[in-house]
Amino acid sequence: MQAVILAAGQSSRFWPLNKRHKSLIKIMGKPLIFYTLKGLKRAGSKEIIIVQGSKRDIERELKKYKFGINIKYLVQSTSKGMGNALWQARKLVKSRFLVLNAERVDVDEIVQNIKSKSRNILFGQKTKYPQLYGTMRLKGDRVLEIIEKPKKGKEPSNIRVIGVYLLESGFFKIYQKVKKHLYDFEDALSEYMKKNDVRVVILKKSEVETPSLKYPWHLFRICKYLFENHLNSKISKTSKISKKATIKGKVFIGGYTRIFEGATIRGPCYIGKNCIIGNNSLIREYTNLEDNVLIGAMAEVTRSICQEKVHTHSGFFGDSIFGKGCRIGAGTITANVRIDRREIKSVVKGEKIRTGLDSLGVIMGENSKTGINVSLMPGILIGANCNISPNSVVFENIEDNTTFYTEFKGIKKSSR
C-alpha cells in the first residue's frame, strides 16, 4: 500500500526541542523518521509520500540515507493542520493508503495488528487521560466520531487516536467540503465515518510501551523502545578505552570515542562517534549520547538524551534531554524527582500538563548554556540560546533567547 507521512507541523507542544521538525531528533545516530521509513519498508510499503514544511529539512536529512523504496516529497508551505498537510498528497494517492506521523517508529508492529476486513481502519490505544488526545466514540469496534481533547467527565471512551489511519482516496472528497480550521481532519474523518464503515484496531500494548511523540518527555519512551528493539552491542575498533574503565551490559560505542580511567558504562547505552567520557564518570541505563558529546570527569548521566556536541562537566544529569550544542557548567544538578515523590507536572504553552512520570529532569533547547553550580528543578523546560548564570536555581520554564540569573533577594529575568 501507499503511505503518507505527515512531517510539516510546527511541533509547538514539543518546545523547546522544535527548532527543527521533531522527527529529526536523533536516537542511536539516526533521526526518528529514519526508523519510521524502515518500519514501513518492513511492513511492505513500496511508495511513500512525505509532506514536509517549507524548510524542507526532512528532505535534506533523508537524502543522506538509502532506503530502497520510492519516496516522494511534498511541501505544506503554511502550517494549517493535519488535514491541509494530507490534502497536499491528494493527486498522488491512488486508492487505499496509510496515514501516519513521521515519528511513528513502531509502524511495522502496528500494521501487523490489522485483522479487520474493513477497508478503513483507525488504530487506537487505551489511555488514562483521554482529555489530552483525540478520543473515539465507538459502537462495538465501529468508530462513530472523534472528539478532540474532550472535557474531563465527558470523554466518549478511553480509546485515543494514536495517529495511524488506513483510508481510501474517497476521503479527500469529504475533506474538500468541511470548514477549514486547525482540526478539520478530525471533522472530515467524522463525516467520512457517517458514510463509510470505519473500524478500530486497539493495540494491546500499554500506553507506556507504545511510543508516540506529543510532548518532549515522550522521547524517553521512544528511546527505550529503540534501545530494546534496535540497539546493537558493539565497540568500534578505533575507539580508545582505558583498561581501567568498566563496560557492562549492551553498549554501543562509536568510532574515535575516548573513555578515560575510572569511567563506568552500564548498558543499555549508546555512545556515538568522537565522544569523550571523562575520568570516574558514570553513564548508565538508557542513556543516548550522539556524536561529539563530552561528559566531563566525575559526572553521572542516567536515562538521558544528548544531541550532537553537548558538553558537560561534573554534575548529575538524570532523566533529562539536551539539544544540540548545549554547554553545561561544572557542578550543575538536574533534580529529577519531587521531594514528595509524586508525579511531575510540566508547563506547556501556559498550561500545566501531567507527564505521567515520577522521574523527570530538565529539557533544554539547543545552544543553551549554564554556568557553574546551577540547580534545575524537576520538569523544567529551558528554551534555545539561553544563558543561565552561575549559582542560579531554576524553578520555572525559561523562554528562548533569555539570560537568567538568581539574586540573593529574588529571581530576575532579562531578555536580550
Side-chain angles (χ1 to χ4, degrees), residues 2-9 21 23-24 33-34 36-38 40 47-53 56-63 67 69-76 85-86 88-89 92-93 98 100-103:
Q2 287 180 299
V4 181
I5 294 179
L6 304 180
H21 192 269
S23 68
L24 295 178
I33 192 172
F34 172 91
T36 303
L37 286 166
K38 286 291 188 179
L40 284 169
E47 183 176 324
I48 297 172
I49 302 162
I50 299 177
V51 184
Q52 60 184 329
R56 305 183 77 100
D57 48 0
I58 299 288
E59 186 175 357
R60 285 195 301 273
E61 179 67 29
L62 291 182
K63 283 187 175 180
F67 295 98
I69 48 179
N70 183 17
I71 301 176
K72 297 179 180 180
Y73 296 94
L74 298 173
V75 173
Q76 184 188 28
L86 182 58
Q88 310 307 312
L92 297 179
V93 171
L98 195 69
L100 67 157
N101 294 325
E103 63 281 358

Side-chain angles (χ1 to χ4, degrees), residues 38 45 56 81 98 122 134 151 176 209 234 247 275 280 311 316 358-359 392-393 405 415:
K38 286 291 188 179
S45 291
R56 305 183 77 100
L98 195 69
L122 272 59
K151 292 182 179 180
Q176 193 173 15
E209 291 173 329
K234 179 181 178 182
I247 299 176
C275 294
N280 302 311
H311 289 192
F316 173 75
D358 53 17
S359 295
S392 293
V393 182
Y405 59 94
S415 298

Side-chain angles (χ1 to χ4, degrees), residues 303-372:
R303 299 182 302 275
S304 292
I305 299 169
C306 294
Q307 296 297 283
E308 302 99 316
K309 300 181 180 179
V310 171
H311 289 192
T312 75
H313 294 277
S314 62
F316 173 75
F317 312 100
D319 302 285
S320 296
I321 305 172
F322 297 94
K324 184 177 180 180
C326 288
R327 297 289 188 270
I328 311 299
T332 296
I333 300 294
T334 62
N336 61 336
V337 295
R338 290 168 49 118
I339 293 176
D340 59 9
R341 300 303 192 263
R342 297 177 66 181
E343 178 186 359
I344 295 169
K345 296 180 181 179
S346 191
V347 177
V348 178
K349 300 177 72 171
E351 181 182 358
K352 188 171 285 189
I353 302 295
R354 299 180 66 171
T355 67
L357 303 172
D358 53 17
S359 295
L360 176 60
V362 69
I363 298 174
M364 183 179 291
E366 62 184 39
N367 298 318
S368 285
K369 302 174 179 66
T370 75
I372 61 170

Side-chain angles (χ1 to χ4, degrees), residues 65-199:
Y65 309 101
K66 293 182 179 180
F67 295 98
I69 48 179
N70 183 17
I71 301 176
K72 297 179 180 180
Y73 296 94
L74 298 173
V75 173
Q76 184 188 28
S77 56
T78 305
S79 182
K80 295 182 179 180
M82 180 177 173
N84 181 265
L86 182 58
W87 178 252
Q88 310 307 312
R90 67 193 183 280
K91 294 181 181 180
L92 297 179
V93 171
K94 298 179 179 66
S95 55
R96 201 182 187 205
F97 63 99
L98 195 69
V99 183
L100 67 157
N101 294 325
E103 63 281 358
R104 199 74 243 187
V105 299
D106 59 344
V107 62
D108 51 332
E109 292 187 21
I110 292 172
V111 172
Q112 288 174 6
N113 284 279
I114 297 177
K115 294 181 181 179
S116 173
K117 295 181 180 180
S118 174
R119 291 186 59 80
N120 299 283
I121 295 173
L122 272 59
F123 294 88
Q125 182 179 38
K126 291 182 180 179
T127 177
K128 296 178 181 178
Y129 311 110
Q131 63 273 13
L132 298 180
Y133 305 96
T135 307
M136 301 183 194
R137 188 184 305 281
L138 301 170
K139 184 177 182 180
D141 67 342
R142 184 171 181 177
V143 188
L144 303 178
E145 188 180 11
I146 295 176
I147 309 298
E148 185 66 27
K149 295 181 181 179
K151 292 182 179 180
K152 193 171 183 178
K154 295 185 178 181
E155 303 91 339
S157 72
N158 66 339
I159 305 299
R160 71 178 182 92
V161 177
I162 68 165
V164 182
Y165 314 83
L166 189 58
L167 301 172
E168 294 187 287
S169 56
F171 171 82
F172 292 108
K173 294 181 180 179
I174 302 294
Y175 176 79
Q176 193 173 15
K177 298 178 182 179
V178 301
K179 183 179 179 181
K180 301 300 182 285
H181 62 98
L182 192 60
Y183 298 112
D184 55 18
F185 174 81
E186 286 78 8
D187 291 349
L189 201 55
S190 292
E191 289 298 315
Y192 185 73
M193 293 168 189
K194 294 177 182 178
K195 300 178 181 180
N196 296 272
D197 182 66
V198 180
R199 302 287 169 165

Side-chain angles (χ1 to χ4, degrees), residues 173-399:
K173 294 181 180 179
I174 302 294
Y175 176 79
Q176 193 173 15
K177 298 178 182 179
V178 301
K179 183 179 179 181
K180 301 300 182 285
H181 62 98
L182 192 60
Y183 298 112
D184 55 18
F185 174 81
E186 286 78 8
D187 291 349
L189 201 55
S190 292
E191 289 298 315
Y192 185 73
M193 293 168 189
K194 294 177 182 178
K195 300 178 181 180
N196 296 272
D197 182 66
V198 180
R199 302 287 169 165
V200 63
V201 172
I202 301 174
L203 303 183
K204 294 181 180 179
K205 291 183 177 181
S206 70
E207 188 170 6
V208 174
E209 291 173 329
T210 303
S212 59
L213 194 59
K214 183 176 183 180
Y215 298 108
W217 53 85
H218 290 164
L219 270 174
F220 296 119
R221 297 180 192 168
I222 292 184
C223 184
K224 185 176 181 181
Y225 174 87
L226 291 174
F227 272 32
E228 292 178 349
N229 290 275
H230 299 286
L231 178 64
N232 294 318
S233 188
K234 179 181 178 182
I235 299 176
S236 172
K237 294 180 180 179
T238 60
S239 61
K240 295 183 179 179
I241 301 172
S242 169
K243 294 180 180 180
K244 295 183 179 179
T246 301
I247 299 176
K248 295 182 178 180
K250 185 181 284 188
V251 175
F252 180 98
I253 299 176
Y256 303 100
T257 284
R258 291 179 287 168
I259 299 178
F260 286 83
E261 293 85 353
T264 299
I265 317 294
R266 294 180 180 172
C269 290
Y270 174 91
I271 301 174
K273 300 175 183 177
N274 300 305
C275 294
I276 296 175
I277 310 299
N279 298 79
N280 302 311
S281 285
L282 172 60
I283 313 296
R284 57 190 178 95
E285 64 271 6
Y286 296 104
T287 288
N288 182 91
L289 307 180
E290 292 298 320
D291 295 347
N292 301 295
V293 169
L294 185 154
I295 304 297
M298 308 298 293
E300 180 180 356
V301 186
T302 181
R303 299 182 302 275
S304 292
I305 299 169
C306 294
Q307 296 297 283
E308 302 99 316
K309 300 181 180 179
V310 171
H311 289 192
T312 75
H313 294 277
S314 62
F316 173 75
F317 312 100
D319 302 285
S320 296
I321 305 172
F322 297 94
K324 184 177 180 180
C326 288
R327 297 289 188 270
I328 311 299
T332 296
I333 300 294
T334 62
N336 61 336
V337 295
R338 290 168 49 118
I339 293 176
D340 59 9
R341 300 303 192 263
R342 297 177 66 181
E343 178 186 359
I344 295 169
K345 296 180 181 179
S346 191
V347 177
V348 178
K349 300 177 72 171
E351 181 182 358
K352 188 171 285 189
I353 302 295
R354 299 180 66 171
T355 67
L357 303 172
D358 53 17
S359 295
L360 176 60
V362 69
I363 298 174
M364 183 179 291
E366 62 184 39
N367 298 318
S368 285
K369 302 174 179 66
T370 75
I372 61 170
N373 299 322
V374 169
S375 299
L376 306 168
M377 295 299 107
I380 294 301
L381 309 181
I382 297 174
N385 305 307
C386 292
N387 290 326
I388 302 176
S389 295
N391 296 311
S392 293
V393 182
V394 183
F395 287 94
E396 298 177 348
N397 290 356
I398 299 176
E399 296 300 317

